[in-house]
Amino acid sequence: QVQLVESGGGLVQAGGSLRLSCVPSVTIFSINAMGWYRQAPGKQRELVARISSGGWIKYADSVKDRFTISRDNAKNTVYLQMDSLKPEDTAAYYCNVESSIRDYWGQGTQVTVSS
């Protein structure tokens, strides 16, 4: 069974940085896109950043110019570099992999930004 292993979350002060990583436990074939979503308490899950197999990238307006998504196709790994973090970035961050067969989700990693 495929699992997405996330790492890199934690507690950081406002203005700080964190780097999230996500790697599948087994190789996933026919990946269309990889990305990150987040969900804060009492709010809906929202897209943070997504990168397609062709390299097309989409960011949420709230993270543009602060977050950078990248992927290592050889390792099936996706990263999210988060700089200039704000308290409103506090949420559980979920890795997502879209394949031609189905979507996969990670268990989530908590990011907490203190003011």
Side-chain angles (χ1 to χ4, degrees), residues 39-103:
Q39 187 168 19
K43 295 188 177 181
Q44 290 188 331
R45 188 173 296 190
E46 63 175 359
L47 173 70
V48 176
R50 179 181 180 273
I51 181 168
S52 73
S53 58
W56 183 79
I57 293 175
K58 177 178 176 62
Y59 292 104
D61 289 342
S62 59
V63 307
K64 281 180 182 178
D65 301 323
R66 298 189 298 120
F67 290 11
T68 303
I69 190 171
S70 60
R71 63 187 284 181
D72 183 330
N73 290 328
K75 297 181 180 178
N76 263 195
T77 301
V78 63
Y79 306 96
L80 184 68
Q81 177 66 40
M82 304 185 293
D83 298 316
S84 301
L85 281 160
K86 303 176 181 180
E88 49 263 45
D89 294 318
T90 295
Y93 283 70
Y94 297 89
C95 177
N96 171 259
V97 173
E98 300 173 26
S99 78
S100 58
I101 298 175
R102 55 161 288 184
D103 282 9

Side-chain angles (χ1 to χ4, degrees), residues 8-55:
L11 173 64
V12 65
Q13 288 188 334
S17 298
L18 286 173
R19 187 184 191 225
L20 305 183
S21 300
C22 172
V23 57
S25 57
V26 296
T27 300
I28 300 175
F29 297 97
S30 302
I31 292 177
N32 295 323
M34 304 178 80
W36 292 92
Y37 290 70
R38 68 186 181 187
Q39 187 168 19
K43 295 188 177 181
Q44 290 188 331
R45 188 173 296 190
E46 63 175 359
L47 173 70
V48 176
R50 179 181 180 273
I51 181 168
S52 73
S53 58

